[in-house]
Amino acid sequence: MIAGALRAVALLALGVPAVATAQGSASVGIVSPPLDPDRPLYFYSAPGPGEHPSTATPFDSVTFADGDHFVGIATAPPWFAPEGLKLDYDLLWMTAETLTRDWVEVVVNTMDPLPRTTPRTAWVSRADARFRTWSEFLLEVHSVETLDPESNPLRNTPNDAAPGTGSTAGLPLRALAIRGDWMRVEGADAQEARLPTGWIRWRADGRLLVRFSLLS
């Protein structure tokens, strides 16, 4: 079981810390389970109306174990391929597609193509993992980059009618504030003098317009 899971996530781990987020995504945020050997992450089928995790039966799980230097995955389904995995930095996260009072629907397999029998999403209890909106998450990461710098230049106000004040092409940006679909940014490199503080769009019609890097 774990061998298949590690083969899948190893491909994803090669992309960390920089992660390009799908432009077609309509996800609501990020879910990060605690990497705790005493706390498995349980996966559930779609809950029924009013169903609570305490009365539901999971169909699978991920468990963790102490390693020589960090907590690693002990067991996992062969289809488990989350959005991000870098366990030596205590990083494991999944995108969240649906949020309810007690549940979160998360993407558990980002590989493509998938067999029909392989789940793409599963539900987890909100009590079992930390949920953050995209706004909260992007304010915590090390840097972001615009996916299309030409159509999304730096502007001095959060308005599409405002003239562009600089190109962000190839430049890592640090999020300073978020207002609606706009993000106020500065150059993530303290020595970067080419870019003034300004605004970019980070989202449009539910689609993310930036990629992010958790680590420098």
Side-chain angles (χ1 to χ4, degrees), residues 37-121:
D38 295 324
R39 295 182 62 182
L41 178 66
Y42 294 107
F43 297 123
Y44 300 82
S45 300
E51 186 174 16
H52 190 270
S54 62
T55 62
T57 301
F59 68 83
D60 221 320
S61 66
V62 175
T63 63
F64 306 96
D66 289 318
D68 292 338
H69 302 289
F70 54 87
V71 175
I73 292 178
T75 62
W79 40 258
F80 184 60
E83 175 83 11
L85 181 75
K86 194 166 178 62
L87 296 175
D88 53 333
Y89 281 85
D90 294 328
L91 296 175
L92 191 166
W93 72 92
M94 296 163 284
T95 52
E97 291 202 343
T98 310
L99 181 70
T100 75
R101 184 182 298 271
D102 300 308
W103 299 92
V104 190
E105 183 186 16
V106 297
V107 177
V108 292
N109 195 317
T110 58
M111 308 300 284
D112 186 40
L114 300 176
R116 289 181 180 272
T117 56
T118 298
R120 193 186 74 85
T121 68

Side-chain angles (χ1 to χ4, degrees), residues 3 9 14 18 24 29 32 34 44-45 56 59 78 82 87 90 109 112 127 136 148 163 181-182 202 214:
V9 297
L14 294 174
S32 302
Y44 300 82
S45 300
F59 68 83
L87 296 175
D90 294 328
N109 195 317
D112 186 40
E136 294 170 322
D148 188 351
D181 291 342
W182 291 87
W202 68 273
L214 276 81

Side-chain angles (χ1 to χ4, degrees), residues 7-18:
R7 281 196 296 271
V9 297
L11 298 175
L12 294 164
L14 294 174
V16 177

Side-chain angles (χ1 to χ4, degrees), residues 138 141-145 172-175 188 211-216:
L138 293 174
V141 302
H142 174 266
S143 59
V144 301
E145 290 186 35
L173 310 170
R174 179 174 291 109
R211 62 171 61 90
F212 56 84
S213 177
L214 276 81
L215 307 174
S216 58

